[in-house]
């Protein structure tokens, strides 16, 4: 019955297994220890009831130990290497790199690669546990001094905690540890705000805004909340939805839009770049008809003037031909002179109209 229940819990509706990764924890919790010290690695992950079998790998080679714990009683240099494990219902764990050292002072760390927001523990460890007046450094900047406390913890790491760490301690004389490189992985990148329609928009358009980002690490316990803004105005504040809708865009909706993503504990917050949206107003029917009628009237006036000019021009040409056939010293000739004066006036008027 237990076997059937466990299988039902780990097989999703689609019928395909999607097991989680196993996780290796250390006791004491340091990935670097002194020669001859004891360290225990434990494999944690989903299992079938009553089944504690565990597969371990050291530097890629499977070893015979099948128990959840792998104990190194007196560490030697040969124990340095990459450790992985897997339970019967899990995927193989991420590798843990264990280092064995011989020195006067060792800066011990809980992990060399840490997800943003997780704690980082440091210990300034002297050979044979002989240490005093410990000083912790990040990139040669002092973080802490203590005459008795050999440990220092950064409760919530952020990207500024990337760097090289070391410590110094007095053991008869002052000794300094080797540097340890610490990498902080970004939990999620700055979001990008995207619109379903490109700008410029028309009044009445439906616009979907999407605040796009993604958790980079396997952190199922982390919940992101999203907010949307235009300028300094809040449109939607801290919801689990990464989308916002403008149901019917208006001209006054034009502006610079941006969004932010924040973790549920409020410790990690990132903003998107601004996205410019422009909404164009639709012209009213009255305004459109006014332009149509105005253009039509202008065209009619131009057409009438053109026809009038053509008629005048033809009439002048006809009169000129008629005038050439009349003697100038006759009575009709005198009248023609008068007509010619009028024709010149008409020609000048025609030119003015042209």
């Amino acid at each position: 019955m237990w076997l059937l229940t466990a299988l039902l819990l780990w097989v999703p509706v689609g019928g395909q297994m999607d097991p989680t990764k196993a996780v290796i924890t250390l006791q004491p919790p340091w990935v670097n220890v002194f020669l001859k010290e004891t360290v225990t690695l434990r494999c944690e992950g989903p299992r079938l009831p009553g089944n504690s079998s565990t597969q371990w790998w050291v530097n890629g080679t499977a070893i015979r130990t099948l128990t959840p714990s792998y104990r190194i009683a007196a560490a030697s240099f040969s124990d340095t290497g990459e450790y992985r494990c897997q339970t019967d219902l899990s995927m193989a764990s991420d590798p843990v790199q264990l280092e064995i050292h011989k020195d006067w002072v060792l800066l011990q760390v809980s992990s060399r690669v840490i997800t943003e927001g997780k704690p980082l523990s440091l210990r300034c460890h002297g050979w044979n546990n002989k240490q005093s007046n410990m000083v912790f450094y990040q990139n040669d900047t002092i973080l802490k001094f203590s005459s008795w406390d050999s440990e220092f913890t950064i409760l919530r790491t952020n990207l500024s905690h990337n760097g090289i760490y070391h410590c110094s301690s007095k053991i008869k004389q002052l000794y300094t540890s080797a540097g340890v490189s610490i990498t902080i992985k970004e939990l999620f990148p700055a979001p990008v705000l995207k619109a379903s329609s490109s700008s410029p928009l028309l009044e009445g358009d439906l616009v979907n805004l999407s605040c796009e980002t993604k958790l980079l690490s396997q952190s199922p316990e982390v919940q992101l909340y999203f907010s949307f803004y235009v300028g300094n105005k809040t449109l939607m504040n801290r919801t689990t939805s990464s989308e916002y809708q403008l149901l019917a865009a208006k001209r006054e909706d034009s502006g610079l839009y941006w969004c932010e993503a924040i973790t549920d504990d409020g410790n990690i917050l990132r903003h998107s770049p601004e996205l410019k949206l422009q909404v164009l107003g639709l012209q009213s029917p009255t305004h459109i008809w006014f332009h149509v009628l105005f253009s039509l009237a202008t065209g009619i006036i131009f057409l009438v003037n053109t026809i009038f000019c053509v008629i005048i021009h033809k009439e002048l040409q006809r009169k000129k031909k008629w005038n050439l056939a009349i003697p100038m010293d006759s009575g009709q000739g005198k009248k023609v002179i008068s007509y010619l004066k009028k024709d010149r006036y008409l020609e000048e008027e025609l030119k003015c109209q042209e």
Side-chain angles (χ1 to χ4, degrees):
M1 184 64 184
W2 278 103
L3 178 61
L4 178 61
T5 302
L7 288 174
L8 289 174
L9 287 173
W10 286 99
V11 177
V13 176
Q16 293 182 345
M17 295 287 286
D18 185 21
T20 57
K21 282 186 177 182
V23 176
I24 295 177
T25 59
L26 295 96
Q27 185 60 40
W30 316 112
V31 295
N32 47 349
V33 298
F34 275 134
L35 191 69
K36 303 295 184 182
E37 288 188 326
T38 298
V39 59
T40 301
L41 295 83
R42 182 168 181 84
C43 188
E44 298 180 355
R47 304 172 184 275
L48 290 172
N51 188 351
S52 62
S53 64
T54 305
Q55 179 63 64
W56 287 91
W57 292 269
V58 178
N59 295 324
T61 302
I63 57 178
R64 292 182 179 180
T65 302
L66 298 177
T67 59
S69 296
Y70 181 71
R71 187 171 183 266
I72 302 173
S76 63
F77 291 123
S78 63
D79 292 315
T80 295
E82 181 183 275
Y83 291 75
R84 300 179 73 186
C85 74
Q86 184 176 1
T87 66
D88 53 349
L89 291 178
S90 76
M91 295 172 58
S93 68
D94 289 329
V96 169
Q97 186 73 30
L98 183 66
E99 292 182 358
I100 312 301
H101 294 266
K102 184 179 181 181
D103 208 337
W104 286 107
V105 175
L106 174 66
L107 178 65
Q108 294 182 299
V109 297
S110 56
S111 179
R112 296 179 190 82
V113 180
I114 297 181
T115 301
E116 183 180 22
K118 299 293 185 181
L120 168 64
S121 295
L122 308 171
R123 182 190 185 199
C124 195
H125 185 32
W127 182 258
N128 290 329
N129 284 318
K130 294 178 181 179
Q131 64 269 334
S132 64
N133 298 330
M134 285 73 64
V135 183
F136 293 86
Y137 300 85
Q138 178 195 4
N139 299 327
D140 295 325
T141 300
I142 295 177
L143 294 176
K144 177 188 174 182
F145 166 80
S146 176
S147 59
W148 57 272
D149 187 4
S150 63
E151 295 189 19
F152 174 59
T153 300
I154 300 171
L155 295 177
R156 293 188 180 92
T157 55
N158 57 50
L159 299 183
S160 69
H161 293 125
N162 280 297
I164 305 297
Y165 290 73
H166 73 275
C167 72
S168 62
S169 178
K170 188 175 181 181
I171 308 171
K172 294 184 180 181
Q173 66 183 63
L174 189 65
Y175 291 98
T176 300
S177 73
V180 179
S181 177
I182 300 296
T183 301
I184 309 300
K185 290 194 302 182
E186 193 176 47
L187 182 63
F188 63 93
V192 175
L193 183 62
K194 294 185 178 180
S196 58
S197 302
S198 59
S199 189
L201 309 166
L202 293 178
E203 277 191 315
D205 282 354
L206 170 66
V207 184
N208 289 314
L209 297 177
S210 178
C211 193
E212 297 184 2
T213 188
K214 184 180 180 182
L215 289 168
L216 299 185
S217 301
Q218 287 189 338
S219 303
E221 74 281 4
V222 176
Q223 175 66 60
L224 292 182
Y225 289 83
F226 300 89
S227 301
F228 291 83
Y229 305 88
V230 54
N232 295 322
K233 179 182 175 182
T234 302
L235 300 174
M236 188 171 75
N237 191 37
R238 294 201 179 182
T239 70
T240 56
S241 174
S242 61
E243 294 188 352
Y244 177 79
Q245 276 191 338
L246 293 173
L247 295 176
K250 302 175 183 177
R251 293 180 67 181
E252 52 266 31
D253 289 328
S254 297
L256 296 175
Y257 287 73
W258 55 283
C259 69
E260 70 178 17
I262 187 171
T263 53
D264 47 3
D265 59 8
N267 289 317
I268 304 174
L269 181 150
R270 290 194 171 88
H271 297 158
S272 74
E274 291 179 326
L275 174 66
K276 184 177 181 180
L277 290 183
Q278 183 181 9
V279 182
L280 302 178
L282 295 175
Q283 293 182 331
S284 66
T286 303
H287 188 69
I288 295 173
W289 276 110
F290 173 79
H291 280 282
V292 172
L293 293 175
F294 178 80
S295 300
L296 184 60
T298 303
I300 291 173
I301 292 172
F302 177 78
L303 180 61
V304 170
N305 284 338
T306 302
I307 294 173
F308 182 69
C309 290
V310 170
I311 293 173
I312 292 176
H313 181 73
K314 288 183 177 180
E315 182 65 20
L316 289 173
Q317 292 295 327
R318 187 185 65 80
K319 288 183 177 181
K320 283 181 179 179
K321 292 179 181 179
W322 179 67
N323 289 336
L324 292 174
I326 301 174
M328 298 305 296
D329 57 350
S330 65
Q332 291 291 333
K334 293 180 181 179
K335 290 181 181 181
V336 168
I337 293 172
S338 176
Y339 289 145
L340 288 173
K341 290 180 180 179
K342 291 180 181 180
D343 289 344
R344 290 193 189 98
Y345 173 77
L346 288 173
E347 284 182 344
E348 289 176 0
E349 184 179 353
L350 181 61
K351 289 178 180 179
C352 290
Q353 290 182 359
E354 290 177 349

